[in-house]
Amino acid sequence: HVFEISGPASLKMIYKTGGGTVSGTVDKGAYALVVLMSDATATTRLGVSASCDPNGGFSIPAIPPGSYTIMAVPDFSTGASLEFPSLLASNGKRVRVEAGSTVQVDLKVSK
């Protein structure tokens, strides 16, 4: 992370442990990419991703508690292309992550 602080201000960072896990399967999703996006802020939208295994299974650990949008997209190494923002809006599922819990999600590949 890059931070810029000017003036006499100080910065206090708190790293919390005990996040949750989002896991599940993607129907016909061998090697698909699962994207978990936090809600947009005034300046950015942050997310994490995980690749599916050959059976379409995925797991994304250490997710801070909160609400997210999740979706699966094709394996880009196959040359697939997509309009990401519109797919997220139309195909994303909302999930709520709680500390120390696992959220199970079943997805289909967005195209």
Side-chain angles (χ1 to χ4, degrees):
H1 300 291
V2 176
F3 298 95
E4 181 178 320
I5 302 173
S6 60
S10 63
L11 174 67
K12 179 178 181 179
M13 295 181 69
I14 301 172
Y15 290 93
K16 296 182 179 182
T17 60
T21 299
V22 177
S23 62
T25 57
V26 177
D27 184 42
K28 300 178 186 172
Y31 307 108
L33 183 67
V34 175
V35 180
L36 182 69
M37 302 293 293
S38 64
D39 290 339
T41 65
T43 58
T44 189
R45 183 175 199 134
L46 301 174
V48 295
S49 63
S51 293
C52 291
D53 64 24
N55 299 316
F58 69 91
S59 181
I60 307 173
I63 301 299
S67 293
Y68 297 86
T69 302
I70 189 170
M71 74 173 191
V73 295
D75 172 10
F76 292 109
S77 69
T78 63
S81 64
L82 49 88
E83 180 58 37
F84 187 77
S86 63
L87 278 179
L88 189 64
S90 63
N91 296 326
K93 281 188 173 182
R94 295 292 290 170
V95 295
R96 175 90 186 141
V97 177
E98 300 292 339
S101 69
T102 298
V103 178
Q104 183 71 28
V105 182
D106 295 317
L107 301 170
K108 293 184 180 196
V109 175
S110 300
K111 296 181 181 182

